[in-house]
Amino acid sequence: MQAKPQLYGLPAYKPGKPISEVKEELGLKKVIKLASNENPYGSSEHAKQAIIDAVMNSAIYPDGYSGELRKKVASHLSVNEDQLIFGNGTDEVIQFLCRAFLTPNDNTITADPTFSQYKLNAAIEGAEIREVPLTKAGEHNLNEMLNQIDEHTKIVWVCNPNNPSGNYIGKEEFEHFLSQVPEHVIVASDEAYIEYTVADDYPDTIPLLNQYKNLVILRTFSKAYGLASLRIGYGVAHPEIIQVMEPLRPAFNTTAYAHAAAIAALEDQEFVEQSSKRNREELEKFEAFCQKHHLFFYPSQTNFILIDLEMPGDDIFAFLLSKGYITRSGQALGFPTCIRISIGSEEENAGVLQALEDLLQERKQGSES
Ligand SMILES: *Cc1c(COP(=O)(O)O)cnc(C)c1O
């Protein structure tokens, strides 16, 4: 037997170790996961109640068209209902885009390092992947990404803010970029962390949809809305783009729980605003820590921070794990001497910062002896 040639050698997704396993292995009572940029404050109480209410109807298939949620999101964003497609997480919308537009004759352009799902899904379609290194500051090199476009380019991915560096692309720069991209190329703007951004010039891309038929905006309920386990995200684009993707969307790809919770979550903007505000206050503690210890960090508009400790990321990861904190080693993310830490609650952050302090102390003593 022979599967599609492009599938051989592709990595399977490596999930982080479950908390229960880490506890047992290391004999720790308390283990805290700061690895997947989840909301440490959970989700809106209204969303929780909506899930409980929806449980009564578990025997019934969900609305495959996500009709009620569609209405809600359309009105929240001031777009038409036919400009939306819902996915089992934004991950699935990324999959739809690749499946709909990429063939082995096409190429797609991404930053490097960036969110891994663009490359993985493009590889599955057999497309050529052109990766453009981030600048030293961790920013997208949009000029070089433009240079890489040719007649076979189908999708350019812009992760804004970028995971794992946390940097953002400003309004002026993004609009200039968009104006330079040929009409036959889709620009996918992944805005998974938009609710956490505080920069005044972070772009408002929704109004640009009127002008650019090739713009696709990706958003999720997994991050600031705190609904990661329910798997619900969406794409916003010109109806023509939505229409070509709809036939490849599985009929019941999103659940009734996700619909109910997302609707309630959208209605509770107070929760999102509070989460974002507290996130910023806590993120600033990490920045202050880095400044105090003269550590380089990437300026973040998200709920995570990438810190350079000038030692192997796997070693930083192992040390923090021994103290009960699951983080992400930069080595798997393309930043070999960095650690990516999701911003947790006040108590969690104090703990992981103390652990980092211990690590620096240990390193100092090691170099002195
Ligand atoms: C977390 C994340 C997503 C969204 O993932 P879901 O599938 O919606 O949970 C998309 N893009 C980026 C850059 C992310 O970090």
Side-chain angles (χ1 to χ4, degrees):
M1 79 200 153
Q2 173 75 41
K4 296 177 190 172
Q6 63 264 33
L7 296 182
Y8 293 94
L10 280 183
Y13 182 73
K14 273 203 212 91
K17 270 189 195 177
I19 288 177
S20 54
E21 210 171 291
V22 174
K23 272 186 190 163
E24 200 163 315
E25 268 177 35
L26 297 172
L28 292 167
K29 275 210 198 78
K30 202 162 131 196
V31 170
I32 287 153
K33 187 168 162 240
L34 299 172
S36 303
N37 311 333
E38 292 139 335
N39 189 331
Y41 312 110
S43 56
S44 160
E45 291 303 322
H46 300 286
K48 291 178 201 169
Q49 189 57 50
I51 298 164
I52 293 167
D53 295 344
V55 164
M56 299 314 286
N57 294 321
S58 292
I60 313 295
Y61 276 109
D63 169 10
Y65 193 62
S66 313
E68 268 187 72
L69 176 59
R70 181 178 297 271
K71 271 206 188 76
K72 199 85 207 171
V73 173
S75 108
H76 180 70
L77 300 177
S78 301
V79 299
N80 296 324
E81 291 178 29
D82 63 359
Q83 288 180 276
L84 296 168
I85 187 163
F86 291 90
N88 195 263
T90 304
D91 280 5
E92 196 184 29
V93 184
I94 293 167
Q95 184 188 327
F96 295 158
L97 270 172
C98 291
R99 203 157 170 208
F101 290 95
L102 300 179
T103 76
N105 297 321
D106 303 316
N107 69 66
T108 187
I109 300 167
T110 76
D112 177 40
T114 190
F115 191 51
S116 59
Q117 292 299 313
Y118 319 137
K119 182 179 179 175
L120 174 67
N121 283 287
I124 290 168
E125 302 308 326
E128 180 200 341
I129 298 146
R130 299 185 175 175
E131 298 178 272
V132 176
L134 295 175
T135 67
K136 233 184 140 123
E139 293 171 348
H140 281 56
N141 184 343
L142 292 179
N143 281 333
E144 186 50 31
M145 290 174 88
L146 277 175
N147 283 339
Q148 292 290 322
I149 294 176
D150 64 21
E151 69 269 31
H152 298 293
T153 304
K154 289 290 180 68
I155 309 174
V156 180
W157 303 89
V158 172
C159 189
N160 193 16
N162 189 48
N163 182 1
S165 61
N167 302 73
Y168 78 107
I169 299 161
K171 178 183 164 72
E172 216 171 295
E173 203 192 348
F174 182 75
E175 289 186 22
H176 176 74
F177 170 76
L178 204 51
S179 72
Q180 303 292 303
V181 173
E183 279 171 27
H184 73 272
V185 180
I186 286 178
V187 174
S189 177
D190 185 343
E191 303 174 358
Y193 299 95
I194 184 169
E195 296 86 3
Y196 286 117
T197 62
V198 292
D200 288 336
D201 65 335
Y202 180 81
D204 177 13
T205 50
I206 297 288
L208 298 172
L209 290 165
N210 295 324
Q211 197 180 340
Y212 296 101
K213 287 188 171 180
N214 58 335
L215 174 62
V216 177
I217 299 164
L218 303 174
R219 302 263 177 100
T220 183
F221 286 97
S222 295
K223 303 287 157 63
Y225 286 96
L227 299 176
S229 80
L230 294 181
R231 314 305 304 124
I232 182 91
Y234 58 93
V236 200
H238 191 275
E240 271 175 42
I241 294 184
I242 301 297
Q243 267 166 35
V244 296
M245 292 195 286
E246 269 298 322
L248 48 88
R249 185 180 61 74
F252 303 109
N253 65 320
T254 56
T255 68
Y257 309 121
H259 299 161
I263 290 167
L266 268 178
E267 284 169 354
D268 189 356
Q269 288 300 312
E270 173 71 17
F271 173 82
V272 179
E273 281 158 26
Q274 280 302 316
S275 297
S276 178
K277 188 167 158 266
R278 290 164 86 176
N279 176 70
R280 198 73 217 172
E281 288 163 7
E282 291 299 314
L283 177 68
E284 282 167 5
K285 295 181 185 170
F286 284 82
E287 293 178 345
F289 176 89
C290 292
Q291 274 149 1
K292 178 178 156 203
H293 293 283
H294 308 289
L295 300 172
F296 178 83
F297 64 94
Y298 293 83
S300 174
Q301 289 286 317
T302 66
N303 66 337
F304 58 82
I305 187 165
L306 185 68
I307 304 172
D308 192 347
L309 279 98
E310 295 177 19
M311 62 188 282
D314 288 357
D315 293 352
I316 313 167
F317 171 84
F319 182 88
L320 294 178
L321 190 65
S322 75
K323 301 274 178 178
Y325 295 92
I326 309 175
T327 57
R328 283 296 295 272
S329 163
Q331 274 175 285
L333 299 171
F335 289 89
T337 57
C338 293
I339 194 82
R340 194 194 70 186
I341 305 175
S342 303
I343 310 302
S345 67
E346 187 174 2
E347 189 193 347
E348 291 167 345
N349 299 331
V352 79
L353 285 173
Q354 183 58 53
L356 277 175
E357 185 108 42
D358 295 347
L359 173 63
L360 294 176
Q361 196 60 35
E362 218 168 79
R363 185 167 67 172
K364 202 166 134 209
Q365 279 161 0
S367 69
E368 278 165 3
S369 63

